[in-house]
Amino acid sequence: MYQSLSSTISLSIILLGLAACGGGSSGSPLAANGSIEKGLLRAVKNDAEFIDQFRAAYTRPVDSNNNLQAVAANEANAPSADNGGDSTSYSTTYTLENNVDELDVLKYDGDHLYIAPTLQSRCCFVSQGGAFADSASFAPPSPEQSSGIRILSTNSETATTAELSTIPLEAGEFVQGLYISETQLISIGSSQYYGPYGVQWLGIFGWQQQNLTINIYNTSTITQPELTWKIGIEGGLVDSRRIGDTLYIISRHSPYFDNIYTYPANRNEANANAQQLAAIQPQDIIPTLTINGESRPLFSPQNCLLSRDDPKRDYAYPVITSVTAINLSSPNTAQSVCFNEDSSGVYVSQKALYLSQARYTSQAGNTRIHKFKLNAGSPEYSGSADIAGQLWGPGQTDFRMSEYDDLLRVVTTIYTSDSTDLRDHQLSILRENTDTKSLDLVGSLPNTQRPQEIGKANEALYGVRFFEDRAYFVTFEQIDPLYVIDLSAPADPYIAGELEIPGFSDFLHPINSNLLLGLGQSAQNQGMVKLSLFNVSDINNPSELGSLLLGKEGGWNYSEAQYNRHAFTYLQQADGSDRLTVPVQSAYNTEQDGYVSENRLYLMEINGKTNAAAASLDLIGNIIASPAPSNNWYGGQNRSVIHNDAVFFLSGDYIWSALWSDSSQQTGPQ
């Protein structure tokens, strides 16, 4: 049970001039003096320009929007918490950046599991070939499927759980994920979800007539969570982060108008659109922010950002990207930044948010990156850069960006017209220049002094991981070269070492500066998931210490952790060993039962890590998500939590659990 929205909350509705990203510097994406005199972005001059920028997207024939078409065509053909820091008693959501929490379907506070119900329409996991799965790949609805957010208590000594409460969902409410912050549970819902990068960013229809909802519950009384804040944003959810007491929401919105040619094919259709949109006003375009029933514009036109006049850029785009900062202690002071141009993806560090655009001013194309500092929770524009190649695509592409020591490291792929070598991979290292509001190039690889390419001819870039002053890249066509890049001198990065082994790794996890894990597919045992342990203590001579094959031999095996870091769990132990879990979904045929589909959580340890040459990767056991009543198919979410000697495995909507020391004695489903 949960209590209804408290009627005692009163909102101080901020005037439009001060709300969202309008008005004073505290809510402005502009510089502290309220203006942007330099940099690739500038503020919208007035309401008329804001309207004209939007109207232009529908009043030019599609053949004028050749840059947008080029982006779509090229993208369509493109290939494919604390994560082991100081030891603690239980694991939390695996994140790209330490201290930058990420939205997920399972959260744990050491005492309670918070579980969002499976979304059967969740999009998308990525297949080995880089293609998106179709709807047939997802689990069918289950009669027992939870209709709400479940809260379970845990006992780490016995590895058992008990249901405490369920927060029911309204009709049509879809929870994309959760956060927990002290005694707050934050639920974020959206009718659709396309992910923080990929081809979906290029469309228009997907961002129309959408709304996202942020519900904040007080869980002081865990058996009766109280809904204290209900926030609505007009638009579709892209991604979110929580840094301390601030929740960041990245959303996109395209206003819907009747009788509009979305992609005008000729001048007649463009003219018809111009007539239809002749009388529109800013309020017809700006999305709405609603907090506990009180509504206001999400931002003001004059504080939206545009690229400076660019004669090579002759198209407009009718989808607005917004970054909204919500203080969890006072959500009614939410502030937003509006970027009124096309976007391709987002990356968030502890200090900044980076928004990027795929731009085609040449055949190979390039990526434009805009940096927004996260000062006191308010995004503030601080510089831009253009780099060669494409950044975003299927998979966990934000691993291709990393901020470290105030430097941004980025790896892009340049698609060529050379049939013998279709793609080149480029590393760029950038530093913010406060005087020019630019991200200046410090170093790159390859370069004239170090011309060796990253990857052999035609090899695609799979796993990427930056770790302090190193980078690890995995490329693949027929073998798996692991490259170790030395970044200790940012102006002169170089390939320090290379290892060639069969197969490839999609996901890389640095254990420390001497050991690296790689999760991917085996080439020798096709269909098997492969987890490898690499010794990288000698940066010039990386080696594979050992590997484990996970799944059912002869079957089809897949790990959600290959393409979703939240499915991977890692926990350091006080005794110096590390524990990790990887879920694997297997499908195979048997003579007795025919086609069988099962989910297993594999339990493994890293032992002897203080001596890299003697370290080992050891399989301890597994937990099987046995069929629940009337549901013998588990798709969707697979997550796990390690707490002391207990392991809790979420598969679909149910929890299985066991002790690490004896995983064969498991309980569930709960």
Side-chain angles (χ1 to χ4, degrees), residues 417-436:
S417 55
D418 182 359
S419 60
T420 63
D421 188 7
L422 294 173
R423 53 180 72 83
D424 296 324
H425 309 297
Q426 178 79 38
L427 170 68
S428 302
I429 302 175
L430 308 169
R431 176 182 283 118
E432 179 186 340
N433 186 324
T434 56
D435 293 333
T436 60

Side-chain angles (χ1 to χ4, degrees), residues 354-543:
Y354 295 86
L355 196 63
S356 65
Q357 298 173 274
R359 296 170 67 89
Y360 282 80
T361 54
S362 64
Q363 180 178 355
N366 66 345
T367 295
R368 175 165 288 185
I369 297 174
H370 304 294
K371 178 180 180 180
F372 295 85
K373 289 182 180 178
L374 301 177
N375 293 331
S378 175
E380 179 184 302
Y381 173 64
S382 56
S384 304
D386 285 319
I387 58 176
Q390 295 185 30
L391 177 59
W392 304 110
Q396 301 185 85
T397 325
D398 52 350
F399 278 109
R400 289 190 175 203
M401 303 182 76
S402 169
E403 187 182 72
Y404 180 72
D405 279 350
D406 295 323
L407 295 172
L408 178 67
R409 295 90 63 90
V410 185
V411 58
T412 54
T413 298
I414 302 169
Y415 295 96
T416 72
S417 55
D418 182 359
S419 60
T420 63
D421 188 7
L422 294 173
R423 53 180 72 83
D424 296 324
H425 309 297
Q426 178 79 38
L427 170 68
S428 302
I429 302 175
L430 308 169
R431 176 182 283 118
E432 179 186 340
N433 186 324
T434 56
D435 293 333
T436 60
K437 282 203 174 291
S438 60
L439 304 178
D440 294 343
L441 186 66
V442 175
S444 63
L445 192 71
N447 55 54
T448 55
Q449 299 300 316
R450 300 186 185 275
Q452 180 184 350
E453 292 190 3
I454 301 171
K456 307 295 190 297
N458 282 322
E459 286 183 340
L461 186 62
Y462 280 72
V464 175
R465 196 64 186 262
F466 291 91
F467 180 69
E468 297 179 348
D469 58 2
R470 292 186 187 181
Y472 303 102
F473 298 156
V474 171
T475 59
F476 178 78
E477 186 182 28
Q478 294 180 335
I479 58 174
D480 178 357
L482 168 67
Y483 293 93
V484 183
I485 314 296
D486 191 325
L487 305 174
S488 58
D492 185 29
Y494 66 95
I495 299 175
E498 177 183 345
L499 172 67
E500 293 187 357
I501 54 176
F504 64 91
S505 297
D506 301 289
F507 171 76
L508 300 173
H509 170 78
I511 296 170
N512 52 34
S513 58
N514 296 322
L515 295 169
L516 176 74
L517 281 172
L519 179 67
Q521 294 289 140
S522 171
Q524 295 173 320
N525 297 79
Q526 293 188 2
M528 296 289 285
V529 174
K530 181 181 180 182
L531 183 66
S532 297
L533 177 64
F534 299 103
N535 180 356
V536 291
S537 56
D538 181 353
I539 193 172
N540 303 119
N541 296 289
S543 62

Side-chain angles (χ1 to χ4, degrees), residues 2 5 103 149 167-170 173-175 177-180 184-190 212-219 226-233 247 249 290 292 326 328 331:
Y2 77 104
L5 183 66
L103 183 75
I149 301 168
I167 301 174
L169 302 182
E170 298 177 0
E173 182 180 358
F174 300 93
V175 177
L178 308 169
Y179 288 101
I180 51 175
Q184 288 181 311
L185 170 66
I186 301 100
S187 165
I188 302 179
S190 175
L212 66 93
T213 301
I214 303 156
N215 290 336
I216 302 177
Y217 301 90
N218 184 328
T219 56
E226 179 187 6
L227 178 62
T228 54
W229 295 94
K230 190 175 186 66
I231 304 170
I233 297 177
L247 177 67
I249 301 291
T290 302
N292 285 358
I326 301 172
L328 294 173

Side-chain angles (χ1 to χ4, degrees), residues 238 266 320 444 503 516 600 614:
V238 171
N266 52 55
I320 297 167
S444 63
L516 176 74
R600 290 179 186 250

Side-chain angles (χ1 to χ4, degrees), residues 95-160:
T95 62
L96 175 56
E97 300 288 346
N98 287 338
N99 302 315
V100 182
D101 197 8
E102 300 178 8
L103 183 75
D104 196 26
V105 296
L106 176 67
K107 291 292 179 178
Y108 187 56
D109 61 8
D111 295 306
H112 307 102
L113 293 165
Y114 303 84
I115 305 169
T118 298
L119 290 175
Q120 305 303 337
S121 60
R122 180 181 297 275
C123 178
C124 300
F125 72 76
V126 184
S127 69
Q128 178 176 331
F132 286 92
D134 59 28
S135 59
S137 302
F138 299 98
S142 164
E144 286 76 29
Q145 183 172 313
S146 169
S147 60
I149 301 168
R150 301 173 65 210
I151 303 176
L152 279 64
S153 64
T154 62
N155 185 322
S156 62
E157 294 183 358
T158 60
T160 55

